Amino acid sequence: MKRWTYSSTDKPPSNPYNWPKSTPEDIRERPQRIVKIGEPQTFYFCNNFVKTSKYEAWNFIPKFLLEEFNPKTKIANCYFLVISGLQCIPQISNTGGIPTTLIPLFIVVVIDGIFQIFEDISRHRADTAANASLADRLSKASHSFEKCHWWELEVGDFIKIPSRGQIPADVVIIAVAEKPDSPAQGVCYVETKSLDGETNLKIRNALPNTYAKIQNAEQLVTLVGEVEMEHPNKLIDSFTGVIDFGKTLGREPIPANCVLLRGCVLRNTDWAIGLVVNTGHDTKIMMSSSGTRAKTSQLESLASQEIIRIIYLLAIVCVAGATGQAIWNALNKVEDMWYLKWNQNAIAFWFIDFFYFFLLHATFIPVSLYVSMSVVRYVQAYFMNNDLSMYYAHTDTPALVRTMTLNEELGQISHIFSDKTGTLTCNVMDFRKASINGVSYGEGITEIGRAAWKLQNRPIPQAMLDSEVKARLNAVPHVSFYCPKYEIHSTGGAGQLQQEKIRQFYRVISICHDVIPERVDGQLRLSASNPDDEALVCAATYFGFEFWDRRENFTIIKNKHLNKEEEIEVLMVIPFTSKRKRMSVVIRDPADNQIKLLTKGADAVMFGRLRTNQDFLVDRTDQDMREYAIEGLRCLLIGFAVILEDDFRSWHKEYRKAITDISQIERKKRGESNSIEDMEERLEQGLTLLGCTAIEDKLQDGVPDCIAQLARAGINLWVLTGDKEETAINIAVACNLLQPSEYMDHIIVNNTTAPDVAGMKTLFTTEIERYNKEDDNEGFNSDPMKPRALIIDGPSLLVAMADMQPRGLRELLLEVSQLCKAVVACRVSPDQKRQMVHLVKTGVADVRTLAIGDGANDVAMIQEAHIGVGIKGEEGLQAVNSADYAIAQFRYLSDLTLKHGRYNYIRMSSLVCYMFYKNILMSVAQFWFNFNCAFSGQKYYTEGAIQLFNLAYTSIPILFLGFYDMDISPDTVFLNPETYLAGINNEYFKTSLFWMWILSAVMESIILSVLPLFTLQNFSVVTGQLSQFYEPGMTCFTAIIFAANIKLFFMQSRWYWFNYLILVLTLLFFFATLFLITSVQALDSNFYQVWTRMTASGTFWLNLLMLLTIVVGKDIYVSGLERNFNFRPPHILQELEVGNHLETRVTNFMSSRLSIKSGGRRAVADSHVTDNNSGGNSSKVG
């Protein structure tokens, strides 16, 4: 039975049921999206109205309240809502049936609501502006384009987009403006910055069967046809569809480069006409903007667990109170005391008492906990966003906090997973070297090459260093080349054959690419989808083959060797994909009128496609590639093949049939076997090797120092890259991630060291046993145990991850990785990156992972980690948009984690502990009074003061601790990154530490509650007035306010003038409000004029001084004991700062006090790194 929900038009919806979470059965029922052209639509499509706002005026209150009182995320709010409900029950209420807890709860919820409203208003404004924008839509009645609002557009409409106009929906390009008196090309350019963050222009093409035949509205009106296409999805780089105009214009596939997506901007083209195929929330940009999963910090999760334990403690207190009253009633003739209204049902009376005590001590949980954490995080995020030490002036890019709930989590990172290209490197490519016909060209040495020589303990020849200087002096944009040998060979000095091979090599490079030429102010500017292509085209220009333009199906190059312009007909382009790892172009060469296949790609896919009988050339080129890889250069093989005319015509016919078959397109999209890829494989064979290119991707500034600091902080670093093993290792050495073998053991896992499952298992087992043996014997050896590094390649990782048996390869891999200070994974795919993060995230106890990358291939890894960090670099904003934090350079990661993360973790830990401490102090002090009032539950304080306790008396000063406090200065943190280890070990918010705070509050509450009952018996010496329990209760509460605020002196490391001012204002507000509450009889008749009498008595002030001396004296004594006998590294560093020894290092102290841990096992930090990055002199502190 069909489950469709029909609209008022009685048309079935275009999408499968419950799309995009449809079942296979639902998809079989509606396998494709059908769009009619020039005819009424068969299916119902959503309109083009978009809504990104979270709330509407009519649903804000219910929706917001459901979020605020979600027991999974905000248990404290639910707790206080229950308390408010219980307060309305007269039998158990201690507030006369009035839910007084609703007042502070209401204020807290309102503050949260205001934050949400302001955030949502900006979304509403953006939605209104977008929906009200104007578009030009074809009117069949007038046969012209007429203005309409974006929200009025429908699927099947034809629209005309002007130059620099934003695309209002996903459209298939029918035609574009052409140059007068020139053949139609069907080419336009689009800026996709709002979609993927990339600023370079992309080339887009009109449909080949329409661009030369459709140029005006009259021709559009007569079009009739149908589009079969994919259902809406978020894959912005993919599109599957076929357009069929019948016998008039025929049937054509719709590739991704024939589609303009909503949010993009048309550039360098006067206009474009498109057919609307996706509207509103079906467009790819809207499908991509679905909210990411909510993330919660470990500290907040632990705090929620402690709330549950505190509720258990509260239950124990309530049981004690109710049982105490039952015992007192049993021991006294309570039935004779008529005024107590004794209930003869003792069990019912016990339960009533239980809930009465539950309400009396409901303040065990701080009502302002969540709002305080939110405010502190907001201000912390502001400081992080505006930190100049994380601002990259070159691109005007500050840091960006996208998920402020994880601010404190940054201070507990144990594992960092990093991409290489664009993350550790600049992703700005320079052509450095090339191997052509088995001869290597290019001299000099890269920064990574220097690291390779260092790894081998070999001195770098001076000639190599001199060549590097000359290469830099001769450099032009994207080319840094110096080679006297090339100058000889390129002019025929090594024979005519080599000269021809050199020219053929660079000619192929100048043709085989998808670079777009732009002309700005008469200057040619290249716009490339990836920086490698741009560098190669620049190199071809440098060596005499300048890519000049694209006209229709022709690529125009200027051949400086022949001093002429060449027009090369492009017959077919098979683009590069991450799966194919190669690009091919089929051309008709004007030099000999032959059809040729030009291909460039990675060695892993190219070597198998080379023709036979060129083994010597292949071996020489492979040897050169290995040399280039050692220098960290990125290599691509270049090859060509001649194709017979009939063979190509036959292949092209079959290929066209395959790419217009919607079923084959879908199979390809799902990664299944398909005829499209089979045909591509069939064509790309029998290549003649020309050589290989070598491109340098330089390391970002500060990467080695940053990695050295993170390693000393106890963080395990994993570099996950698609590079060759040699390249990955040498880059890791250049980054200070790996050290030479005399300082670090390298565990290499590849098809040589572990050719099969048994070999890999033996390797892992041997390494584990060797480590355990060295660890057991270390106390008897004079030399410390060397740290280890694991280097594993993608194929080996695939084998290891597939073995999920107990003590299988997956488990052994995880165990070995935890013995290592660093892990380098090479030749890994994006999904393998995600799998490695998941392996550590789920397999290691108490681990906190951070993944950092800059490209779309890093998104899966970033989303899998506890914290994702995106680098806003050359590959757009896809990584940034999926991340929790964004920075411009890898080196800022040390500021983000070691500085801000560490501070935020310590501050938030202090805030949470303090919030519970002060509430337990106040609530338990009231409980002790029950021993003096027959466990009747009599209030010890005035109700008004209780309600203001969390909101005003103790809430503001602790916020400023959360904003500003620093135990040690940032300079000291970076000089001593080992202090970060306390966060990894969660030393500031352990359960034991939390309950030490609770125990301290309980002990102090006894003193503050009981002593005033004895010391205030003769309250006024002048009048002889005896005190009631109101005066001791008020004295106790006043002492609690003072003690709780003075406690900050022992928590806060740095005090500024505003801290003192806020403290004074808080206490003055306390005095003023307490005077008001006790001066108005209607507010609390029991405490009427009590505060006035107390403050006029010297006894009260003397008692207050005594109580504070006892409580504060205890804190002074404990603080002195801790600093002298249980001191921690920050204590020593604080003394060094005060003693003006900021630059003094305490290396020996750190070595003795800190144990850098890796998965619960000790690994000695590399002294070689420490000595070279200490930043100061060593000093022994005992």
Side-chain angles (χ1 to χ4, degrees):
M1 184 178 71
K2 290 183 178 292
R3 295 172 290 174
W4 306 110
T5 302
Y6 292 94
S7 68
S8 58
T9 61
D10 286 333
K11 293 180 180 179
S14 60
N15 295 334
Y17 177 77
N18 201 31
W19 183 260
K21 298 180 180 179
S22 305
T23 64
E25 178 188 346
D26 296 326
I27 295 175
R28 281 194 296 270
E29 193 172 349
R30 184 82 77 248
Q32 293 150 9
R33 185 178 178 93
I34 306 296
V35 177
K36 295 291 185 179
I37 305 172
E39 298 176 339
Q41 300 298 331
T42 307
F43 298 98
Y44 168 74
F45 301 92
C46 73
N47 58 33
N48 203 37
F49 184 89
V50 297
K51 176 180 176 293
T52 61
S53 56
K54 190 175 181 181
Y55 307 104
E56 297 293 340
W58 62 271
N59 71 0
F60 171 75
I61 292 179
K63 193 171 182 179
F64 171 71
L65 291 180
L66 284 174
E67 294 173 354
E68 283 296 295
F69 296 99
N70 184 344
K72 293 183 178 180
T73 56
K74 295 196 173 183
I75 188 173
N77 285 358
C78 298
Y79 168 82
F80 282 106
L81 186 64
V82 172
I83 294 298
S84 300
L86 293 175
Q87 285 181 327
C88 296
I89 302 174
Q91 289 83 358
I92 62 174
S93 177
N94 57 8
T95 58
I98 300 173
T100 56
T101 305
L102 272 182
I103 298 173
L105 180 61
F106 174 79
I107 294 173
V108 167
V109 171
V110 165
I111 292 174
D112 258 354
I114 291 172
F115 274 111
Q116 292 291 335
I117 288 172
F118 276 111
E119 188 177 338
D120 211 47
I121 284 175
S122 61
R123 298 193 191 104
H124 273 281
R125 288 173 178 166
D127 290 346
T128 301
N131 292 320
S133 299
L134 294 177
D136 293 320
R137 178 173 60 179
L138 177 67
S139 170
K140 286 193 174 183
S142 64
H143 288 207
S144 63
F145 288 97
E146 297 179 354
K147 297 289 184 184
C148 72
H149 293 106
W150 278 20
W151 65 267
E152 296 177 293
L153 292 176
E154 297 178 356
V155 170
D157 285 342
F158 287 106
I159 61 173
K160 188 174 184 178
I161 306 152
S163 178
R164 293 190 175 273
Q166 196 169 22
I167 318 299
D170 293 351
V171 301
V172 175
I173 310 171
I174 301 297
V176 299
E178 303 289 357
K179 296 178 182 179
D181 303 323
S182 297
Q185 299 183 44
V187 175
C188 65
Y189 302 95
V190 64
E191 181 185 272
T192 61
K193 182 168 60 176
S194 63
L195 196 66
D196 58 16
E198 297 184 15
T199 55
N200 54 291
L201 298 186
K202 309 290 195 312
I203 192 169
R204 293 292 183 265
N205 301 98
L207 291 172
N209 55 343
T210 61
Y211 75 82
K213 301 176 182 179
I214 304 293
Q215 283 290 301
N216 55 53
E218 292 288 345
Q219 295 166 320
L220 285 172
V221 171
T222 61
L223 285 181
V224 176
E226 183 178 271
V227 174
E228 299 176 33
M229 56 177 284
E230 63 188 8
H231 288 297
N233 58 69
K234 61 183 178 180
L235 303 175
I236 62 174
D237 296 321
S238 167
F239 189 88
T240 303
V242 174
I243 192 165
D244 190 351
F245 289 108
K247 295 181 179 179
T248 56
L249 296 174
R251 182 180 176 92
E252 281 287 337
I254 307 175
N257 67 344
C258 289
V259 178
L260 297 176
L261 301 182
R262 179 185 175 119
C264 300
V265 177
L266 188 68
R267 293 282 301 276
N268 289 8
T269 309
D270 291 339
W271 53 260
I273 294 174
L275 170 69
V276 176
V277 292
N278 285 327
T279 50
H281 288 270
D282 282 347
T283 57
K284 288 184 181 286
I285 190 172
M286 295 304 297
M287 295 289 289
S288 301
S289 64
S290 58
T292 55
R293 64 185 178 89
K295 292 184 178 181
T296 304
S297 70
Q298 183 186 39
L299 191 148
E300 186 170 349
S301 300
L302 292 175
S304 297
Q305 295 176 17
E306 299 303 342
I307 287 177
I308 296 173
R309 295 188 181 106
I310 290 292
I311 293 175
Y312 290 152
L313 175 63
L314 173 59
I316 293 172
V317 169
C318 295
V319 168
T323 305
Q325 187 172 49
I327 294 173
W328 190 90
N329 291 341
L331 296 177
N332 297 271
K333 296 181 178 181
V334 68
E335 62 274 6
D336 297 335
M337 302 176 185
W338 58 269
Y339 50 86
L340 291 181
K341 299 179 182 180
W342 169 243
N343 188 339
Q344 297 298 325
N345 189 337
I347 295 177
F349 198 80
W350 187 93
F351 278 102
I352 291 174
D353 262 6
F354 176 89
F355 285 106
Y356 181 88
F357 278 101
F358 191 83
L359 294 179
L360 183 66
H361 299 290
T363 49
F364 266 41
I365 311 295
V367 68
S368 58
L369 175 64
Y370 289 137
V371 72
S372 297
M373 294 175 73
S374 296
V375 170
V376 166
R377 285 168 173 160
Y378 181 83
V379 175
Q380 289 173 351
Y382 172 82
F383 288 141
M384 294 164 73
N385 290 338
N386 291 276
D387 187 352
L388 289 178
S389 64
M390 294 195 294
Y391 171 73
Y392 191 48
H394 180 68
T395 57
D396 188 29
T397 306
L400 176 64
V401 177
R402 293 172 52 85
T403 311
M404 67 180 185
T405 55
L406 299 177
N407 288 353
E408 62 270 18
E409 191 92 327
L410 289 168
Q412 296 186 273
I413 300 301
S414 59
H415 289 71
I416 291 177
F417 298 83
S418 174
D419 176 43
K420 180 195 72 81
T421 303
T423 304
L424 300 178
T425 61
C426 299
N427 205 21
V428 176
M429 309 301 176
D430 280 352
F431 185 91
R432 293 300 306 269
K433 299 180 180 183
S435 174
I436 305 173
N437 197 33
V439 181
S440 179
Y441 298 103
E443 297 181 8
I445 185 169
T446 64
E447 185 177 349
I448 296 169
R450 295 172 190 263
W453 284 75
K454 171 186 172 183
L455 187 64
Q456 300 170 21
N457 285 321
R458 294 164 56 194
I460 302 173
Q462 187 60 42
M464 192 176 288
L465 297 173
D466 294 340
S467 296
E468 178 63 21
V469 173
K470 293 176 182 178
R472 299 298 178 190
L473 291 175
N474 295 332
V476 298
H478 300 295
V479 180
S480 181
F481 185 84
Y482 170 76
C483 184
K485 180 172 63 175
Y486 175 82
E487 301 298 330
I488 298 172
H489 290 194
S490 64
T491 55
Q496 186 177 359
L497 176 63
Q498 185 65 19
Q499 182 186 30
E500 290 178 357
K501 289 293 184 182
I502 291 173
R503 292 183 179 182
Q504 189 178 12
F505 178 84
Y506 288 111
R507 187 169 181 266
V508 169
I509 289 176
S510 70
I511 299 169
C512 186
H513 59 81
D514 59 2
V515 174
I516 301 169
E518 297 180 73
R519 282 170 176 80
V520 181
D521 299 329
Q523 298 292 320
L524 178 66
R525 188 172 70 183
L526 302 177
S527 182
S529 58
N530 68 78
D532 294 78
D533 266 1
E534 185 175 6
L536 291 175
V537 171
C538 288
T541 301
Y542 183 84
F543 294 108
F545 294 88
E546 182 179 7
F547 168 64
W548 186 247
D549 202 356
R550 296 185 189 275
R551 298 174 192 160
E552 206 171 34
N553 293 330
F554 291 86
T555 293
I556 316 301
I557 65 171
K558 288 186 175 182
N559 189 330
K560 295 181 180 179
H561 299 285
L562 300 178
N563 196 25
K564 73 173 186 178
E565 188 177 276
E566 293 186 77
E567 290 191 6
I568 297 125
E569 183 181 5
V570 178
L571 303 176
M572 176 63 63
V573 175
I574 306 178
F576 174 91
T577 66
S578 58
K579 181 180 180 181
R580 283 171 40 80
K581 297 182 180 179
R582 63 191 183 278
M583 175 186 182
S584 292
V585 175
V586 181
I587 66 167
R588 186 180 297 278
D589 196 335
D592 52 17
N593 202 37
Q594 288 185 320
I595 296 177
K596 295 179 180 178
L597 170 71
L598 313 181
T599 304
K600 65 180 181 185
D603 60 311
V605 297
M606 288 289 286
F607 278 132
R609 289 171 170 75
L610 299 179
R611 65 173 176 82
T612 56
N613 301 323
Q614 48 181 347
D615 294 344
F616 177 76
L617 175 58
V618 171
D619 291 341
R620 289 291 300 270
T621 305
D622 184 48
Q623 181 180 345
D624 289 338
M625 286 185 67
R626 292 181 182 277
E627 291 294 328
Y628 298 154
I630 290 173
E631 291 193 58
L633 299 177
R634 299 157 62 94
C635 298
L636 289 176
L637 287 176
I638 309 296
F640 80 99
V642 176
I643 306 175
L644 297 177
E645 187 89 29
D646 291 341
D647 291 344
F648 176 73
R649 190 179 294 113
S650 172
W651 175 88
H652 188 255
K653 183 178 180 180
E654 292 185 50
Y655 187 65
R656 289 279 303 169
K657 182 179 178 181
I659 62 176
T660 56
D661 187 336
I662 196 72
S663 63
Q664 295 301 318
I665 296 173
E666 288 293 338
R667 290 179 65 86
K668 178 183 176 183
K669 189 174 177 180
R670 293 193 297 266
E672 300 173 359
S673 175
N674 61 88
S675 59
I676 298 174
E677 291 178 337
D678 291 343
M679 293 299 297
E680 292 170 352
E681 288 280 343
R682 188 174 125 190
L683 179 70
E684 296 168 320
Q685 298 293 333
L687 295 170
T688 297
L689 179 64
L690 290 174
C692 77
T693 61
I695 298 175
E696 179 186 14
D697 186 9
K698 297 179 183 177
L699 285 177
Q700 293 181 13
D701 293 337
V703 167
D705 292 337
C706 176
I707 287 181
Q709 282 186 326
L710 295 173
R712 288 174 54 208
I715 300 174
N716 294 277
L717 289 103
W718 294 40
V719 172
L720 314 178
T721 177
D723 287 326
K724 294 168 68 73
E725 182 180 302
E726 297 87 348
T727 305
I729 291 175
N730 291 323
I731 287 174
V733 172
C735 292
N736 268 347
L737 182 63
L738 298 184
Q739 292 299 316
S741 55
E742 61 264 31
Y743 302 109
M744 176 179 276
D745 284 339
H746 296 175
I747 304 171
I748 299 177
V749 184
N750 55 29
N751 60 356
T752 302
T753 61
D756 51 27
V757 172
M760 194 180 301
K761 185 170 290 189
T762 301
L763 175 62
F764 286 154
T765 305
T766 302
E767 288 297 334
I768 294 170
E769 292 174 352
R770 185 167 71 91
Y771 182 93
N772 291 333
K773 183 178 180 180
E774 291 182 16
D775 193 30
D776 293 338
N777 296 334
E778 188 181 5
F780 304 98
N781 297 330
S782 57
D783 296 328
M785 184 170 61
K786 288 192 294 186
R788 284 161 165 73
L790 174 66
I791 299 100
I792 184 169
D793 63 8
S796 300
L797 183 63
L798 193 65
V799 173
M801 296 297 284
D803 186 4
M804 304 184 68
Q805 299 296 324
R807 296 303 292 172
L809 288 177
R810 181 186 175 97
E811 187 176 326
L812 291 173
L813 170 63
L814 179 63
E815 186 172 349
V816 170
S817 70
Q818 295 310 296
L819 307 179
C820 301
K821 284 297 297 173
V823 176
V824 177
C826 49
R827 295 292 196 189
V828 292
S829 67
D831 190 60
Q832 284 181 315
K833 293 180 181 181
R834 181 197 61 79
Q835 289 178 358
M836 295 190 77
V837 175
H838 182 76
L839 175 68
V840 175
K841 180 181 174 182
T842 58
V844 182
D846 299 324
V847 71
R848 308 312 288 175
T849 58
L850 180 150
I852 180 170
D854 75 316
N857 61 333
D858 302 316
V859 169
M861 171 179 74
I862 286 172
Q863 291 180 334
E864 180 64 36
H866 291 102
I867 294 180
V869 178
I871 288 186
K872 187 177 180 182
E874 302 293 326
E875 293 192 26
L877 292 178
Q878 292 185 44
V880 169
N881 292 337
S882 304
D884 304 300
Y885 298 87
I887 53 179
Q889 295 277 285
F890 182 88
R891 67 177 182 270
Y892 299 152
L893 193 59
S894 59
D895 288 271
L896 190 66
T897 54
L898 303 187
K899 183 174 74 174
H900 288 289
R902 181 180 177 277
Y903 288 153
N904 293 342
Y905 164 67
I906 296 174
R907 293 164 181 168
M908 195 61 72
S909 299
S910 299
L911 181 142
V912 173
C913 290
Y914 175 81
M915 296 290 284
F916 282 96
Y917 157 80
K918 64 185 180 60
N919 275 54
I920 295 295
L921 178 65
M922 188 266 289
S923 298
V924 176
Q926 185 163 245
F927 173 77
W928 301 127
F929 178 62
N930 284 289
F931 288 94
N932 296 80
C933 66
F935 287 92
S936 63
Q938 171 64 47
K939 290 183 182 177
Y940 204 27
Y941 323 127
T942 175
E943 181 65 26
I946 294 174
Q947 298 305 325
L948 288 172
F949 179 79
N950 279 304
L951 290 179
Y953 298 157
T954 58
S955 60
I956 306 302
I958 185 62
L959 293 181
F960 281 81
L961 181 147
F963 300 159
Y964 290 103
D965 194 40
M966 297 183 294
D967 58 342
I968 52 179
S969 69
D971 289 337
T972 305
V973 169
F974 292 131
L975 287 172
N976 301 274
E978 297 89 348
T979 56
Y980 185 84
L981 192 62
I984 298 176
N985 295 333
N986 198 26
E987 293 180 7
Y988 288 90
F989 198 76
K990 292 180 177 179
T991 298
S992 57
L993 179 63
F994 177 84
W995 284 94
M996 284 298 295
W997 276 86
I998 302 302
L999 179 61
S1000 176
V1002 171
M1003 299 300 295
E1004 291 174 14
S1005 68
I1006 297 174
I1007 298 170
L1008 300 180
S1009 177
V1010 175
L1011 282 183
L1013 290 169
F1014 295 97
T1015 56
L1016 289 177
Q1017 289 183 358
N1018 297 319
F1019 183 64
S1020 176
V1021 179
V1022 178
T1023 62
Q1025 182 181 7
L1026 298 177
S1027 68
Q1028 306 175 63
F1029 69 85
Y1030 301 117
E1031 286 81 4
M1034 193 67 76
T1035 303
C1036 173
F1037 191 83
T1038 305
I1040 288 171
I1041 298 299
F1042 273 84
N1045 283 286
I1046 292 174
K1047 175 74 73 172
L1048 292 174
F1049 279 101
F1050 301 95
M1051 297 170 56
Q1052 198 159 325
S1053 299
R1054 295 172 192 270
W1055 282 76
Y1056 305 97
W1057 63 269
F1058 50 79
N1059 292 113
Y1060 296 102
L1061 177 62
I1062 291 165
L1063 182 59
V1064 171
L1065 291 177
T1066 298
L1067 295 177
L1068 289 176
F1069 182 77
F1070 164 71
F1071 277 90
T1073 52
L1074 218 55
F1075 174 78
L1076 177 64
I1077 292 170
T1078 58
S1079 298
V1080 180
Q1081 190 170 6
L1083 293 177
D1084 196 331
S1085 58
N1086 291 329
F1087 284 85
Y1088 181 63
Q1089 293 297 327
V1090 171
W1091 182 246
T1092 305
R1093 295 198 305 270
M1094 284 176 52
T1095 53
S1097 170
T1099 306
F1100 161 73
W1101 295 105
L1102 200 59
N1103 268 269
L1104 182 62
L1105 178 62
M1106 177 193 67
L1107 293 173
L1108 293 178
T1109 300
I1110 296 173
V1111 172
V1112 175
K1114 181 265 297 181
D1115 287 334
I1116 295 173
Y1117 182 70
V1118 170
S1119 179
L1121 288 177
E1122 185 179 37
R1123 283 186 172 272
N1124 282 278
F1125 299 103
N1126 191 33
F1127 53 86
R1128 293 182 297 184
H1131 294 150
I1132 300 297
L1133 297 173
Q1134 286 170 352
E1135 294 180 16
L1136 291 173
E1137 287 183 353
V1138 173
N1140 297 320
H1141 295 297
L1142 184 59
E1143 295 299 321
T1144 302
R1145 285 300 317 277
V1146 286
T1147 307
N1148 292 341
F1149 168 75
M1150 289 297 175
S1151 298
S1152 63
R1153 295 289 294 173
L1154 297 175
S1155 173
I1156 297 180
K1157 297 184 178 180
S1158 178
R1161 293 178 176 269
R1162 182 174 54 80
V1164 176
D1166 181 17
S1167 60
H1168 181 75
V1169 178
T1170 304
D1171 293 342
N1172 286 328
N1173 297 279
S1174 61
N1177 300 321
S1178 299
S1179 173
K1180 184 175 181 180
V1181 179

